[in-house]
Amino acid sequence: MASNQTAALDIPNVVRNAKDDDIREHFPPVGPLLAKSCRSICTRKQLFKRLPILQWLPSYNLRYLVEDIVAGISVGLTVIPQGIAYAVIANLDPQYGLYSAFMGCFVYCILGSCKDVTIGPTAIMSLMVQVHVANSGVDFAILSAFLTGCTILLLGVLNLGFLVKFISLPVTAGFTSAAAITIASGQVKSLFGLPGKSNEFLEAWINVFEHLHEIRLWDSVLGISTIAVLLVLMQMKTVSAESCWSSVGKFIALARNAIVVIIGTLLAYVLSEAGYSELFLLTGNVTAGLPPLRPPPFTTTLDGQTFSFSDMLSELGSSLITLPLIGILESIAIAKAFSKGKSIDATQEMIALGLSNIAGSFVSSMPVTGSFTRSAVNNNSGVRTPFGGIATGTLVLLALGLLTSTFYYIPKATLAGVIIAAMFFMVEFHTAVEIWRTKRIDIVPMIATLTACLFLGLEFGMLVGVGINVCFILYQTSRPTLATEKHTIDGASVFVVQPDQRLVFSSAEYLKHNVLKHSSKAGAQVVVLDGSHITSIDTTAAKMLVCMTKDLQLQNRAIVFWKWKRATQCTLLRMDRELYQHLFIAAENLDGIIKEISSKRSDL
């Protein structure tokens, strides 16, 4: 019949063609695919894409040199005190933070695609390895850097960066805020000169209250003064641009960490020389010289016990997954923030970050990633190319070679003040307000992530947040919105149901229950299932639609499938061709549906 376009379909051909299309799409010939992949890798374009230094270095303008060096020195003045402080967080000697900083700068200069990003130790990464270092020693931090780098590099090569998309904004905000609170809590003991080594949230505060009677006056004065001075210096960047002091204020704000560390160190040195060496607790000896060049440890000995590679993997546990994910998340987010509208090659950023960690593990580095603070300093200092990283790395090396005796006099209270002041701005109050204003239900995964991170640990907290988000998604997919309409056409009661999303196993039973319930309640003689928004269905949903169709037919109600796409039609036809071959309707409106149904019945 001419009017019945769907009924006129050659069903076997439709099914056969659909299968052929699926096979060609999902299982292309292997040989040509491999050859094409090899050709795409071994090209000059690909080489320049994977080694960005080959793009900017040949065309480097010497006029940029001064700006890059100034920016690199500014970042260096920030990374040196931060590197020492973050090594302390990780329970490492101060030099390990500087080892991590210099190698990250050099490698990213060669492989990085964003001129502003700086790679090095960060507070979150330090916190995530400190438990392993405290329990098992420095070799575990170095091995975790190597394994983190290998994982990130593999994910980059395989283009699996999409995995970080499973970590939503509320979960990220909760994780970052919890990490900031945990880090700041762990530094309270150093701020007041108290004994203790724990950096976990609960244990840190228990330790503080247990040793309240041991608070050291001058450490407390120095630490609190450091925080106050840092907050004041930070406001210097708001000096009016029309003022002659605007450039000076901007520089002071950028170099504030270095300024307070220098002042604190000078104060401690002068007082020590004057015979008041007991006033402040000091950082102590820092190993001088360049970092040792050696492979990462795949076995280690601790307290007479030998740990094999598998034992070390077992000790690192879930951090083997969470460290790479957090590293990727931080680094790519920072690159996007400073890209200024330019597209970011996430694969290249992951390759650069992975190789930075791998190379760092050969110079005793702990895991590194992008630093938002130092990237902001780099950007505000007017860096023009990634060459600024060379200047930063060189300054760090000079500090390791020439200034380690000076590092001895850095007060622990000053470093604690630097860390705590930085953590003030990592607690994402503004994000919580945005989430509450935008969609209040999303505050649940944020609060759950924050709470779990504080009381269970960062790795488990992240898993809790992701798990809650997945539950939200599953619930939404299991409860599609069903738009329903009731019409009377030519004396027939017509009930139209339009799902608003694709049908999967979790929503199948819900759809069947509601269609049967509401069509019966409406006394419908014809049920029209509008597939306008159904882009795909899975096997479970297809089987459930078969059951629903048969149930409606047993109730003497006609059901037709209207506006279904070819792919979804073929799925149902493959499930039960005899049942569905006459149920798809191609009419333009409901009147046409009734006429087509009447025509089919008269033919039968």
Side-chain angles (χ1 to χ4, degrees):
M1 191 178 308
S3 62
N4 190 355
Q5 299 174 11
T6 308
L9 284 174
D10 183 351
I11 301 303
N13 284 338
V14 170
V15 176
R16 181 172 61 252
N17 291 339
K19 290 181 178 178
D20 291 343
D21 291 343
D22 290 343
I23 292 173
R24 282 193 293 268
E25 179 180 355
H26 298 290
F27 302 99
V30 176
L33 183 62
L34 290 175
K36 182 179 179 181
S37 299
C38 292
R39 286 195 302 270
S40 65
I41 293 173
C42 303
T43 62
R44 185 173 182 272
K45 179 180 178 182
Q46 193 70 11
L47 180 64
F48 275 68
K49 184 178 181 180
R50 296 307 171 211
L51 288 174
I53 192 172
L54 297 179
Q55 300 178 31
W56 61 264
L57 187 59
S59 59
Y60 190 82
N61 192 327
L62 289 179
R63 290 180 298 176
Y64 298 161
L65 186 60
V66 173
E67 295 173 270
D68 284 342
I69 290 177
V70 170
I73 292 174
S74 299
V75 175
L77 292 175
T78 303
V79 75
I80 290 172
Q82 281 191 344
I84 295 172
Y86 295 153
V88 171
I89 292 176
N91 286 321
L92 296 169
D93 292 334
Q95 67 268 17
Y96 288 100
L98 301 183
Y99 295 166
S100 306
F102 104 87
M103 183 55 76
C105 291
F106 281 123
V107 174
Y108 191 81
C109 175
I110 298 171
L111 298 171
S113 60
C114 182
K115 65 180 178 62
D116 300 294
V117 172
T118 62
I119 299 294
T122 65
I124 294 177
M125 299 293 271
S126 300
L127 181 62
M128 294 182 71
V129 299
Q130 65 92 13
V131 175
H132 306 298
V133 176
N135 294 337
S136 310
V138 65
D139 284 348
F140 284 82
I142 300 171
L143 180 62
S144 69
F146 177 78
L147 296 175
T148 295
C150 291
T151 303
I152 294 174
L153 180 62
L154 180 63
L155 292 175
V157 170
L158 297 178
N159 290 316
L160 296 178
F162 73 89
L163 293 174
V164 299
K165 296 179 181 178
F166 286 96
I167 305 175
S168 66
L169 174 63
V171 173
T172 303
F175 175 85
T176 304
S177 300
I181 294 170
T182 302
I183 291 166
S185 300
Q187 294 304 307
V188 172
K189 63 181 184 297
S190 297
L191 189 74
F192 296 119
L194 301 176
K197 292 185 177 181
S198 175
N199 286 314
E200 295 295 330
F201 174 71
L202 279 179
E203 294 177 5
W205 283 107
I206 291 172
N207 179 74
V208 168
F209 287 111
E210 286 180 346
H211 295 89
L212 275 178
H213 60 283
E214 300 179 46
I215 288 179
R216 295 169 59 95
L217 174 62
W218 295 110
D219 280 300
S220 303
V221 170
L222 180 61
I224 294 172
S225 299
T226 297
I227 296 174
V229 170
L230 283 169
L231 296 178
V232 171
L233 293 182
M234 186 178 180
Q235 301 307 312
M236 296 293 289
K237 66 182 179 181
T238 62
V239 175
S240 173
E242 298 177 358
S243 171
C244 60
W245 294 99
S246 60
S247 298
V248 176
K250 180 180 177 182
F251 175 79
I252 290 175
L254 292 174
R256 62 186 181 276
N257 289 333
I259 290 172
V260 296
V261 170
I262 291 171
I263 292 174
T265 304
L266 287 174
L267 180 62
Y269 176 76
V270 170
L271 291 173
S272 295
E273 291 297 308
Y276 297 98
S277 58
E278 301 298 324
L279 284 182
F280 305 125
L281 296 177
L282 304 179
T283 298
N285 292 319
V286 177
T287 303
L290 300 180
L293 183 61
R294 59 193 177 200
F298 296 105
T299 61
T300 188
T301 302
L302 182 67
D303 297 331
Q305 180 183 359
T306 300
F307 287 82
S308 65
F309 181 60
S310 59
D311 293 332
M312 297 180 77
L313 291 180
S314 177
E315 167 64 25
L316 292 173
S318 60
S319 65
L320 295 173
I321 299 173
T322 53
L323 273 171
L325 290 179
I326 297 305
I328 293 169
L329 188 68
E330 281 195 90
S331 190
I332 293 180
I334 292 168
K336 288 181 178 180
F338 290 99
S339 64
K340 296 181 179 179
K342 297 180 181 178
S343 60
I344 290 295
D345 186 346
T347 296
Q348 182 59 32
E349 287 299 303
M350 292 166 67
I351 291 173
L353 181 59
L355 289 175
S356 294
N357 277 279
I358 293 173
S361 68
F362 284 83
V363 293
S364 302
S365 167
M366 61 182 178
V368 296
T369 186
S371 165
F372 191 89
T373 301
R374 297 192 294 274
S375 299
V377 170
N378 209 16
N379 178 267
N380 292 335
S381 301
V383 70
R384 301 299 293 267
T385 70
F387 185 80
I390 298 294
T392 300
T394 303
L395 183 61
V396 172
L397 284 180
L398 290 174
L400 279 168
L402 304 175
L403 299 177
T404 49
S405 59
T406 305
F407 296 157
Y408 176 92
Y409 292 98
I410 299 176
K412 290 185 177 181
T414 297
L415 290 179
V418 169
I419 295 170
I420 292 173
M423 295 307 104
F424 286 161
F425 304 98
M426 282 183 62
V427 180
E428 303 200 28
F429 297 109
H430 62 286
T431 304
V433 172
E434 289 177 355
I435 292 171
W436 182 260
R437 183 174 63 243
T438 306
K439 191 173 183 181
R440 294 183 178 180
I441 191 64
D442 286 342
I443 205 71
V444 173
M446 179 179 176
I447 293 175
T449 303
L450 189 150
T451 305
C453 285
L454 290 178
F455 294 100
L456 300 178
L458 294 180
E459 297 97 333
F460 292 107
M462 176 66 73
L463 294 176
V464 168
V466 172
I468 291 176
N469 258 352
V470 170
C471 290
F472 277 21
I473 294 170
L474 289 175
Y475 180 81
Q476 291 169 359
T477 58
S478 68
R479 294 292 186 272
T481 300
L482 303 177
T484 60
E485 295 179 355
K486 183 180 177 182
H487 301 271
T488 301
I489 302 174
D490 294 337
S493 177
V494 180
F495 185 70
V496 182
V497 182
Q498 185 186 64
D500 68 338
Q501 63 184 35
R502 64 193 183 97
L503 300 179
V504 293
F505 64 94
S506 57
S507 61
E509 185 63 41
Y510 177 82
L511 174 67
K512 175 187 174 184
H513 171 75
N514 279 274
V515 170
L516 292 176
K517 174 183 176 181
H518 294 294
S519 62
S520 177
K521 186 176 180 180
Q525 297 169 279
V526 178
V527 176
V528 178
L529 193 58
D530 187 339
S532 303
H533 303 304
I534 302 175
T535 56
S536 65
I537 57 176
D538 64 9
T539 302
T540 305
K543 186 66 176 177
M544 194 61 67
L545 287 174
V546 170
C547 296
M548 184 185 74
T549 299
K550 292 179 178 179
D551 287 347
L552 287 170
Q553 290 175 345
L554 288 174
Q555 296 176 7
N556 293 321
R557 304 181 196 280
I559 180 171
V560 295
F561 294 77
W562 186 38
K563 296 182 181 179
W564 281 60
K565 296 174 176 57
R566 183 174 181 269
T568 51
Q569 287 186 34
C570 291
T571 302
L572 290 177
L573 289 168
R574 288 193 291 267
M575 175 60 71
D576 193 330
R577 187 180 64 186
E578 293 183 2
L579 178 65
Y580 283 108
Q581 60 183 340
H582 299 298
L583 296 182
F584 292 109
I585 299 294
E588 294 183 359
N589 51 46
L590 294 177
D591 291 335
I593 291 176
I594 299 303
K595 291 178 181 178
E596 195 163 331
I597 291 174
S598 301
S599 177
K600 286 181 181 180
R601 286 178 175 174
S602 62
D603 289 342
L604 295 174

